[in-house]
Amino acid sequence: MAAEPILELQNVHASYGNIKALKGVSLKVYPGEIVAIIGANGAGKSTTLMTICGIVAVDEGDILYQGRSITKVAAEKLPVMGLCQVPEGRRIFPRLTVHENLELGAFYRRDREGIEKDMQRVYELFPVLKERKRQQGGTLSGGEQQMLAIGRALMSRPKVLLMDEPSLGLAPLIVQKIFDIIHEVNQKEGTTILLVEQNANLALQAAQRGYVLETGRVTMEDEAEKLLHNAEIRKAYLGE
Amino acid sequence: MDYFIQQLINGITLGGVYALIALGYTMVYGVIQLINFAHGEFFAAGGYMGVILLNWFIGRGYMSTHPMICIGASVVLTMGYCAFLAMGVEKIAYKPLRSASRLAVLLSALGMSIFLQNAMMLTQGVFDKPYPIELAEGSLTVGGITVSYLQVIIVVFTVVLLVGLNLLVFKTRIGMAMRATAQDKVMSSLVAISSNRIISLTFAVGAGLAAAAGIMVGFYYGSVRYDMGFVPGIKAFAAAVLGGIGNITGAMLGGLIIGMVEVFGAGYISGQYKDVFAFIILIAVLYFKPTGIMGENVDDTRV
């Protein structure tokens, strides 16, 4: 395994109001990897990502990014450091245009030329977004919104990209396209990806390693290949 | 007919003032879903700061040598002062309650309103404070219709401010961040927008516009009073609701309509019921179309 993890959770506890959502989650993500977190509804997958991004407060434990603690860093500072999320439900700004949504991805950046270049690249990756450039984000279809959400995240040039349920509610063909892009971003740019999925099959095929989350705890971690062939996993998450 | 056009012009003048105040309500609501009941006080504070600065310039003798610069500086400084005042109010009275219930913040706003009003009363006295100079004397008479130069100045300045605000919100990077924050605060932090800074800025811009309205009303009526923010504040709130709270274009439109209705109501029905018309509209809007003219997706959990 490569030297130091780029992202590490050490015994992280977090809660939503009175509900303890994470009860000691520890995981490591190494540079250049695709890591999957699988688990049932309510296992704490999305909370894990929101906690990493500083939206949900850490009650206990520590989160290290590039070797330094980011537990106390304000959420809006993290994208600047290269930590970026494509959240569950895409969260497109509905009354901003497609183009504006993409521009916001690059909000913290000042390098006009670089932004312009990245914008062209996103439009090449997702030609449909270019066609709909002037349309309001809220008018796009689910698949298009997912593309826009990914495009918006790419505009911030992430080092680590957290993705929450990118396949949710999408037609199989679109899902395939989205996962091709995830693969391409990982391979070409070397972007590290932490992927949360209910579709365990899909996630474990894309990832090198995986974690299984159950009621706020990591219950299993292994190479994705092994998890994919683990009888327990197949029974619990792959519907066998 | 002349009377009608005359009232129309008066209505536009008054409507512009309401629109400027209404924008502060609607922008703040758009970003943090709070009816900032202290907003009317920024309008009053603007009126007072205007007098204070004008008197200062007169006292130093600058007014007689450079009147335009002094008046311009008074307006700009007043807007800036109220912008800072609003940012302070937000920090003290609203920011600590960011995750509290809406009712708590609303009460905090009412408390802030009372506090500011009394602060003005204590420091400036309970009596009307006269504006020391006239902005423009004389008037234009065209075929029986009289428009004072002051009205022309007020309308032109209002239009400039409204256009400026539209450019800020819809054409700049920071305006885009404001709209994004209004639509989804979590997502806007995920794209590196500091919602605290945007909220602060929203208060500042809204209060700046209200302050400009305060100064113009001071010039228009010739004096200011510590409690002058209350009634126009509530009417501007009615205007914001009429236009669709949270919607900037709606607030401008709502302000104009409330101004018109008030002037025409006073002119054609009864001057004594002048203040009633705005509230009749408010009640009617809440009854028949709670989302207002341009409002969208207001869920019923909102205040």
Side-chain angles (χ1 to χ4, degrees):
Chain A
M1 205 49 73
E4 288 292 303
I6 188 164
L7 179 69
E8 182 175 1
L9 274 67
Q10 299 174 336
N11 188 32
V12 170
H13 293 247
S15 41
Y16 268 122
N18 291 327
I19 303 156
K20 287 217 79 172
L22 303 185
K23 302 163 186 163
V25 172
S26 297
L27 58 85
K28 288 178 184 173
V29 181
Y30 292 90
E33 272 191 311
I34 299 184
V35 173
I37 301 179
I38 60 172
N41 244 339
K45 304 187 301 295
S46 297
T47 310
T48 304
L49 295 196
M50 283 301 182
T51 308
I52 295 171
C53 285
I55 303 291
V56 174
V58 175
D59 294 338
E60 205 188 309
D62 206 0
I63 301 174
L64 303 175
Y65 174 69
Q66 294 181 317
R68 84 174 247 232
S69 170
I70 53 166
T71 319
K72 298 270 181 287
V73 177
E76 69 263 18
K77 300 271 194 295
L78 294 171
V80 185
M81 297 163 67
L83 190 59
C84 196
Q85 187 182 167
V86 181
E88 186 178 13
R90 353 282 187 217
R91 298 188 95 134
I92 295 304
F93 296 109
R95 291 182 299 286
L96 295 184
T97 65
V98 168
H99 196 76
E100 286 175 320
N101 267 282
L102 291 175
E103 278 184 312
L104 276 175
F107 183 72
Y108 77 86
R109 292 170 59 184
R110 289 288 184 277
D111 55 323
R112 272 173 180 281
E113 278 172 31
I115 293 173
E116 194 43 49
K117 228 181 89 198
D118 289 357
M119 191 74 86
Q120 293 316 318
R121 202 182 115 244
V122 169
Y123 282 144
E124 272 162 34
L125 279 176
F126 306 109
V128 64
L129 295 183
K130 193 170 186 177
E131 285 166 33
R132 307 207 183 287
K133 194 170 162 170
R134 302 271 158 242
Q135 228 168 289
Q136 290 205 328
T139 65
L140 299 187
S141 73
E144 289 162 353
Q145 288 196 5
Q146 189 63 57
M147 294 177 198
L148 180 54
I150 295 172
R152 180 177 60 190
L154 294 179
M155 289 302 296
S156 72
R157 290 213 175 150
K159 293 191 184 80
V160 175
L161 186 57
L162 312 177
M163 303 189 87
D164 198 345
E165 305 268 7
S167 77
L168 195 70
L170 302 184
L173 254 163
I174 310 280
V175 172
Q176 195 49 53
K177 158 105 179 146
I178 300 281
F179 272 79
D180 286 348
I181 299 281
I182 293 173
H183 198 70
E184 187 181 332
V185 169
N186 175 254
Q187 289 297 306
K188 276 200 187 155
E189 332 272 324
T191 308
T192 309
I193 292 171
L194 179 58
L195 180 66
V196 156
E197 261 297 345
Q198 271 195 65
N199 187 335
N201 202 9
L202 204 60
L204 292 174
Q205 275 172 15
Q208 282 106 49
R209 291 190 308 117
Y211 289 83
V212 180
L213 214 55
E214 262 173 54
T215 58
R217 286 191 187 88
V218 174
T219 52
M220 217 183 283
E221 60 170 291
D222 210 335
E223 283 167 33
E225 186 72 14
K226 287 184 184 158
L227 288 175
L228 207 48
H229 294 105
N230 182 308
E232 243 176 280
I233 301 280
R234 297 201 71 84
K235 192 156 171 262
Y237 301 105
L238 300 171
E240 281 181 12
Chain B
M1 191 60 197
D2 282 355
Y3 185 68
F4 178 82
I5 294 173
Q6 184 72 61
Q7 296 298 349
L8 193 69
I9 290 162
N10 294 341
I12 291 173
T13 314
L14 189 64
V17 169
Y18 288 152
L20 286 177
I21 310 173
L23 282 165
Y25 280 107
T26 225
M27 288 171 73
V28 165
Y29 186 87
V31 173
I32 56 171
Q33 285 76 52
L34 161 74
I35 306 293
N36 178 19
F37 276 116
H39 186 62
E41 313 317 327
F42 301 138
F43 163 80
Y48 268 114
M49 203 57 193
V51 184
I52 292 167
L53 288 167
L54 290 169
N55 279 331
W56 187 84
F57 281 122
I58 290 167
R60 297 285 159 122
Y62 297 143
M63 189 60 83
S64 44
T65 50
H66 300 96
M68 290 314 282
I69 294 174
C70 289
I71 292 169
S74 300
V75 172
V76 171
L77 288 173
T78 298
M79 289 173 73
Y81 163 77
C82 285
F84 275 108
L85 181 66
M87 282 157 76
V89 165
E90 194 273 322
K91 227 180 183 75
I92 293 167
Y94 308 142
K95 197 178 169 197
L97 298 172
R98 200 61 48 82
S99 52
S101 77
R102 273 194 203 159
L103 187 61
V105 196
L106 201 68
L107 288 174
S108 187
L110 284 170
M112 209 46 179
S113 169
I114 295 167
F115 171 78
L116 289 173
Q117 213 175 94
N118 282 276
M120 282 187 275
M121 186 181 74
L122 282 171
T123 56
Q124 304 299 321
V126 290
F127 301 112
D128 286 20
K129 212 170 180 102
Y131 258 56
I133 52 161
E134 289 211 28
L135 188 55
E137 287 172 47
S139 57
L140 215 71
T141 306
V142 186
I145 299 148
T146 310
V147 188
S148 69
Y149 288 128
L150 182 58
Q151 276 183 318
V152 176
I153 293 173
I154 289 176
V155 170
V156 169
F157 187 49
T158 303
V159 169
V160 167
L161 288 175
L162 296 184
V163 169
L165 179 77
N166 264 297
L167 291 177
L168 173 75
V169 173
F170 293 105
K171 298 287 175 210
T172 66
R173 204 173 146 270
I174 204 77
M176 189 163 72
M178 262 170 135
R179 284 179 291 144
T181 306
Q183 291 173 31
D184 187 338
K185 256 181 280 302
V186 168
M187 192 59 227
S188 60
S189 345
L190 292 178
V191 293
I193 297 169
S194 160
S195 49
N196 280 332
R197 276 170 62 186
I198 294 293
I199 292 166
S200 204
L201 178 76
T202 306
F203 271 86
V205 171
L209 295 175
I215 274 210
M216 288 193 280
V217 163
F219 276 121
Y220 196 58
Y221 293 114
S223 67
V224 289
R225 229 175 101 101
Y226 73 96
D227 60 355
M228 70 185 264
F230 182 68
V231 172
I234 298 282
K235 284 182 190 165
F237 167 62
V241 172
L242 170 63
I245 192 117
N247 187 300
I248 286 178
T249 321
M252 295 181 186
L253 194 65
L256 207 59
I257 294 174
I258 295 278
M260 292 285 185
V261 168
E262 183 175 325
V263 167
F264 279 107
Y268 284 100
I269 302 170
S270 163
Q272 294 191 318
Y273 286 106
K274 181 167 80 76
D275 290 344
V276 172
F277 302 112
F279 302 115
I280 291 176
I281 292 195
L282 178 61
I283 292 165
V285 171
L286 289 175
Y287 193 81
F288 294 108
K289 196 173 188 306
T291 55
I293 300 171
M294 311 197 64
E296 44 202 320
N297 57 36
V298 178
D299 56 86
D300 48 13
T301 58
R302 289 184 177 178
V303 177

